[in-house]
Amino acid sequence: MPTYRAPRGTRDLLPETRAGFSRLEGIARSLALRYGYREMEIPLFEQAAVFERGIGEATDVVEKELFRIAPRTEDSESWALRPEATAGIVRAYVQHGMQALPPPVKLSVVGPMFRYDRPQAGRYRQFWQWSAEAIGDPGPAVDAEVVEMGLRFYKEAGLPDVQVLLNSIGDAACRPAYLETLKTYFSGHEAQLPALDRRRLDTNPLRLLDSKDPAMTALIASAPKMIDRLCEACAAHFTSVRVHLDALGVSYRLEPTLVRGLDYYARTAYEFYRQGAEGQQQALGGGGRYDGLVELLGGRPTPAIGFALGLDRVVLALAETGATVSHEASPLAVIVGADPADTVSRLRVASLLRSEGLSVRAELAPRKLGRQLETASKEQAHFAVIIGDELADGHVQLKDLKAGTQHLVPLADLARDLARAEKTHHHG
Ligand code: HAM
C-alpha cells in the first residue's frame, strides 16, 4: 500500500482517461462556438453565501455536500469549493455588469466541481462539468435550443441513445399554491414517509417527488403534479417550448415528477439519461430555467436558462458501450544515433524538429543503435532519424520503420520531409 493516496471520491485522470476528457472538452468547445456561447473561467471557490443563497440552504448540495473551506482567522470570509458553476457564473455576470451587454449573454464553463457526497460509481467528490448558460432570454425558443445543444453533445460524443426528460415546475405565481397542495397530500400520508422525507415536508416539499426510497414510489405516482396546475403564462411557455422542440425534431419524454436538486429553477426543467436508465439516479446531465437567480444574487431581474453535463458519466457510459474513448498519438519520429554516448546530437536534432512543430522523441539512453531502433518500432513511431558520421556534412539517415526503407536526407530538408509524411502518419 502506498503511503499517500488520492482523497476518497477523487480520481487521478491518468493520461488515457485524460485524453478521453480532452476529447469531450473539445466537443463542448466546438458546440459552444457553433451555438454562440463564450467560454470563461470562474474561481474554484466562492464566498459560501453565493451557493447558500443561489442554490438554496435546504438542498442536499448545500446542506450536506458543500466542501467548506475552514477560515484561517476568525474574521476571514467563509468560502466553499464550487459544487456547480451556475451560481458562480451568475455572480460574475452581476459583478462585471454584463447586464449592460445585449442579451442573451451566453457563457460556457468547463471544469471540475466538488460535492462532498458518498462516493460510488459515477458519483465523485471531484467531477467535471460542461456548463452552458444563456442569461437574459425569457424563452421559450432558447429553451429548446439549449436542450438541442445538449443532445447534440451526446450524439457527437458517441452516445446517440440519450433521451431528454422534460417538465415544467412553474414559477413564483403558481408554485406556492402547488407546494401547499403537495404538502397537504404528503402530510396525509406522513406515517408512510421515510424520516428524511418527513423532514423535507417542511423544508423542501418539492424534493419528495425525487425521493428514491421504494416506500415512496406509489405515493409519488399519485401525488398532485405541477404540470396540471401551471398558471396560464407558465402553461403557454411550456407549450411553446414543446412546439420548438418538435420543430427541431427533438424527441423528449414528459416527466411530471421530474424536479431538480437545486432551488433556483422555474418553469422548464430537464435531464438527460441513456435510454433504459431513466429511472436511475445517474443523470448524464441536467438543467433548466432559473429566472430568479440573477436578482437573488444582487442583479436586476433577468431570465436565464442553462445546463450542466457531467463529463465523468459520459466517459463511463462510453466505456460501457465499448467505444474507443481516445487514440493516443505515437511520435512521428524517434531520433536515434550510432554513437550511444552522443546524446547532444540527438537532442539538438529533436529540438530543431520540435521548433518546426513536429512531435518527436529523442532517444537519450546510451544504448546500442539496434536497441534504440527496437524501442522506436515498439512505440509505433513512423520514422527513425539515425544520426551517424554523415552528420559531419549535414546529413542524417531517415528510416521508414513501417516500410522498412531508408535514405540519406540533408538536415536542412528533414523537417519538411517529415511534415509531409506526418499528414499520412495519423490517417494512414
Ligand atoms: P446538476 O443536476 O446538479 O445540475 O448536475 C449536472 C450533472 O453533473 C449531473 O447530471 C451529473 O451528470 C453531473 N454530476 C453531478 N454531481 C456529480 C457527482 N457527484 N459525480 C459525478 N457527476 C456529477 C447542475 O449542476 C446545474 N448547475 C445545471 C444547470 C446549469 N442548470 C442551469 N444551468
Side-chain angles (χ1 to χ4, degrees):
M1 277 281 265
T3 314
Y4 300 110
R5 327 188 93 233
R8 202 164 110 78
T10 72
R11 298 178 300 155
D12 298 308
L13 303 182
L14 299 182
E16 205 177 308
T17 313
R18 188 52 180 105
F21 272 70
S22 297
R23 188 180 74 88
L24 295 181
E25 288 169 354
I27 296 170
R29 294 201 165 97
S30 151
L31 284 171
L33 200 66
R34 277 180 270 165
Y35 283 75
Y37 288 74
R38 297 168 71 211
E39 191 173 12
M40 68 176 290
E41 294 285 347
I42 48 170
L44 297 187
F45 60 97
E46 297 268 355
Q47 283 175 274
V50 170
F51 307 123
E52 290 159 352
R53 297 216 64 201
I55 298 168
E57 304 259 15
T59 58
D60 283 352
V61 170
V62 167
E63 204 173 53
K64 298 197 222 144
E65 298 167 6
L66 205 57
F67 261 101
R68 293 177 184 278
I69 300 172
R72 295 182 70 89
T73 58
E74 251 170 49
D75 55 356
S76 68
E77 301 241 37
S78 169
W79 292 317
L81 297 184
R82 62 185 190 190
E84 56 111 51
T86 312
I89 291 172
V90 168
R91 190 269 309 139
Y93 172 88
V94 173
Q95 179 180 337
H96 300 285
M98 287 193 242
Q99 283 178 310
L101 300 174
V105 177
K106 291 162 121 183
L107 302 167
S108 162
V109 166
V110 185
M113 308 294 155
F114 306 85
R115 295 184 193 179
Y116 192 76
D117 203 351
R118 196 168 59 78
Q120 50 188 288
R123 192 171 294 277
Y124 306 105
R125 288 180 173 171
Q126 174 173 348
F127 57 97
W128 275 258
Q129 280 187 346
W130 171 33
S131 192
E133 317 290 350
I135 307 176
D137 187 331
V142 72
D143 301 38
E145 186 186 52
V146 167
V147 169
E148 192 226 12
M149 177 167 73
L151 277 177
R152 198 183 293 278
F153 173 83
Y154 296 114
K155 203 176 288 165
E156 295 190 2
L159 294 176
D161 64 340
V162 172
Q163 183 165 246
V164 197
L165 304 193
L166 183 70
N167 194 18
S168 174
I169 56 166
D171 66 3
C174 50
R175 200 162 9 158
Y178 168 69
L179 290 181
E180 283 310 313
T181 313
L182 196 64
K183 239 161 127 170
T184 310
Y185 168 80
F186 279 117
S187 300
H189 301 86
E190 201 168 340
Q192 281 164 264
L193 300 183
L196 175 68
D197 290 313
R198 202 171 309 151
R199 257 193 294 125
R200 279 180 172 155
L201 204 49
D202 287 318
T203 56
N204 203 343
L206 207 55
R207 296 294 303 155
L208 269 71
L209 294 175
D210 201 32
S211 175
K212 297 293 183 271
D213 198 306
M216 294 288 285
T217 315
L219 270 186
I220 291 170
S222 37
K225 305 292 182 309
M226 184 70 236
I227 201 149
D228 303 323
R229 290 168 167 74
L230 295 174
C231 59
E232 224 171 283
C234 283
H237 188 274
F238 194 49
T239 303
S240 185
V241 170
R242 297 175 62 183
V243 166
H244 283 86
L245 286 172
D246 291 342
L248 288 174
V250 171
S251 60
Y252 55 87
R253 213 178 82 188
L254 276 188
E255 188 54 67
T257 60
L258 184 131
V259 290
R260 304 268 305 130
L262 313 130
D263 275 356
Y264 49 58
Y265 291 108
R267 296 191 167 174
T268 314
Y270 55 94
E271 279 176 350
F272 298 104
Y273 287 87
R274 293 192 67 197
Q275 238 141 39
E278 297 92 343
Q280 294 165 16
Q281 270 187 47
Q282 304 236 330
L284 289 176
R289 185 159 275 294
Y290 47 95
D291 293 345
L293 185 59
V294 176
E295 191 179 10
L296 199 63
L297 294 181
R300 281 198 304 273
T302 308
I305 186 166
F307 65 50
L309 312 186
L311 302 188
D312 306 71
R313 291 185 187 172
V314 173
V315 168
L316 282 175
L318 284 170
E320 268 170 38
T321 65
T324 315
V325 176
S326 71
H327 296 279
E328 289 211 60
S330 47
L332 175 65
V334 176
I335 321 302
V336 299
D339 175 4
D342 185 12
T343 46
V344 166
S345 298
R346 300 205 282 279
L347 210 47
R348 284 179 61 186
V349 171
S351 172
L352 175 88
L353 295 174
R354 287 167 179 156
S355 70
E356 297 295 328
L358 297 169
S359 160
V360 302
R361 184 177 73 81
E363 178 57 74
L364 300 181
R367 296 186 295 179
K368 289 214 176 91
L369 179 59
R371 293 286 308 285
Q372 297 181 41
L373 284 168
E374 262 170 46
T375 315
S377 297
K378 261 193 215 144
E379 67 187 298
Q380 309 277 321
H382 194 150
F383 295 97
V385 174
I386 307 171
I387 297 173
D389 297 338
E390 309 89 344
L391 191 65
D393 51 51
H395 286 74
V396 293
Q397 293 282 348
L398 182 58
K399 185 178 171 81
D400 186 326
L401 294 166
K402 311 247 154 148
T405 54
Q406 182 172 329
H407 62 282
L408 207 61
V409 180
L411 199 52
D413 296 346
L414 184 62
R416 193 200 57 199
D417 287 6
L418 281 172
R420 204 174 286 158
E422 187 173 36
K423 293 202 181 79
T424 56
H425 175 67
H426 289 293
H427 311 291

